[in-house]
Amino acid sequence: MACAVAACALTSVAGHATAQTTPAPKAAQKTGGQLNAADQRGQAPATTQATPPNPIIPDPRRNVPASIFTSFDSNQRAIAAKVSAYLSSLQTLVGNFVQVGPDGSKTKGDFYIQKPGKVRFEYEPPTPIDIIADGSSLVVRDRKLATQDVYPLSQTPLRYLLSDRIDLLKDTNVIAVASDDLYVTITIEEKQALIGTSRLMLMLGAKDGQLKQWTVTDPQGYDTTIAVYNLDTTKKLDPAMFKIDFTNYATPPG
């Protein structure tokens, strides 16, 4: 279940697209002068938030069909441009996350982003999941079962967060732009012939303009929300953190 929820949260195609499942390689030993993910996790962000945020769960009734004639006023366009500029300005982003699955279950962990296209999500025990993207592929790795599911990064909503530069109104199908005193919200919709319609809802702070959370709605209408905190844009990350070993072992290790 944990693996499926993790895949849903970050790919929106788990269980719907064909993934290549292979035994996961054994973890490589650390080499001198390099930092692995655990080393990176030991470096506290510049400002830390002791209490994890309580993710805002969207109203499930919000997912009404989008109009093909959706248009935005000047204020909405200005909001979208500001969010696009913020996302484009990010090159490295490190922090913690809280994930709420479709069944209400909560998991926590750490994440590391290096643009373009690279990300690593590490779930805290007992969830045995790591998610790694190397710029072209994304794997959902189960440390307990020693397996990994491989997806094209192009089929995941993460590519919008990992793009070097992005103009949301030009590069995506934005169907809603809203703001209030607390949050700016932008919803993107994707329609794929073989998979169905999925949505990505981004929420940023209205005052600080920082990413707060996102919600992925899969083609069956199930929501998975990830709230992020303790964000740090100054860390230098070891490229080895985002390396995927695609070795297809004949038998599972161990």
Side-chain angles (χ1 to χ4, degrees), residues 54-240:
N54 191 21
I56 299 171
I57 307 304
D59 184 347
R61 295 170 298 179
R62 78 191 187 284
N63 289 318
V64 297
S67 170
I68 61 173
F69 302 108
T70 300
S71 60
F72 302 106
D73 59 30
S74 58
N75 183 56
Q76 290 172 311
R77 289 183 175 277
I79 290 172
K82 187 174 182 179
V83 173
S84 297
Y86 164 72
L87 294 177
S88 297
S89 72
L90 298 175
Q91 291 303 310
T92 301
L93 188 63
V94 175
N96 310 117
F97 70 88
V98 178
Q99 174 179 303
V100 179
D103 61 353
S105 60
K106 285 187 178 181
T107 51
K108 297 189 297 181
D110 308 321
F111 74 94
Y112 313 85
I113 289 176
Q114 180 70 63
K115 295 169 63 175
K118 299 179 178 65
V119 71
R120 184 182 185 103
F121 277 77
E122 296 181 341
Y123 288 74
E124 291 184 359
T127 305
I129 301 299
D130 292 333
I131 296 175
I132 305 169
D134 64 358
S136 59
S137 297
L138 180 143
V139 299
V140 180
R141 179 177 295 167
D142 190 314
R143 299 187 302 273
K144 183 177 181 180
L145 299 178
T147 60
Q148 60 185 11
D149 295 335
V150 184
Y151 302 90
L153 184 60
S154 61
Q155 292 184 8
T156 77
L158 271 184
R159 69 184 187 275
Y160 298 128
L161 296 177
L162 302 180
S163 297
D164 195 20
R165 298 193 63 81
I166 190 167
D167 183 327
L168 290 170
L169 290 182
K170 291 183 179 179
D171 302 332
T172 74
N173 180 31
V174 175
I175 61 170
V177 178
S179 63
D180 56 28
D181 292 339
L182 296 178
Y183 298 103
V184 169
T185 304
I186 292 184
T187 303
I188 300 167
E189 184 177 83
E190 274 199 315
K191 294 182 179 181
Q192 300 187 41
L194 299 179
I195 299 174
T197 300
S198 59
R199 292 186 177 185
L200 171 66
M201 186 173 72
L202 300 172
M203 294 181 66
L204 293 82
K207 294 183 179 179
D208 63 11
Q210 305 297 301
L211 181 65
K212 301 300 182 184
Q213 70 172 50
W214 65 83
T215 297
V216 172
T217 305
D218 72 11
Q220 279 64 50
Y222 294 108
D223 289 335
T224 301
T225 296
I226 292 182
V228 295
Y229 61 110
N230 290 339
L231 302 183
D232 190 328
T233 61
T234 64
K235 287 186 178 178
K236 293 184 178 180
L237 301 178
D238 179 7

Side-chain angles (χ1 to χ4, degrees), residues 27-42:
Q29 295 182 346
K30 289 188 290 183
T31 58
Q34 290 186 332
L35 296 178
N36 66 4
D39 296 324
Q40 295 287 356
R41 187 167 56 243

Side-chain angles (χ1 to χ4, degrees), residues 1-9 11 14 99 129 140 224:
M1 175 64 182
C3 185
V5 170
C8 175
T11 69
Q99 174 179 303
I129 301 299
V140 180
T224 301

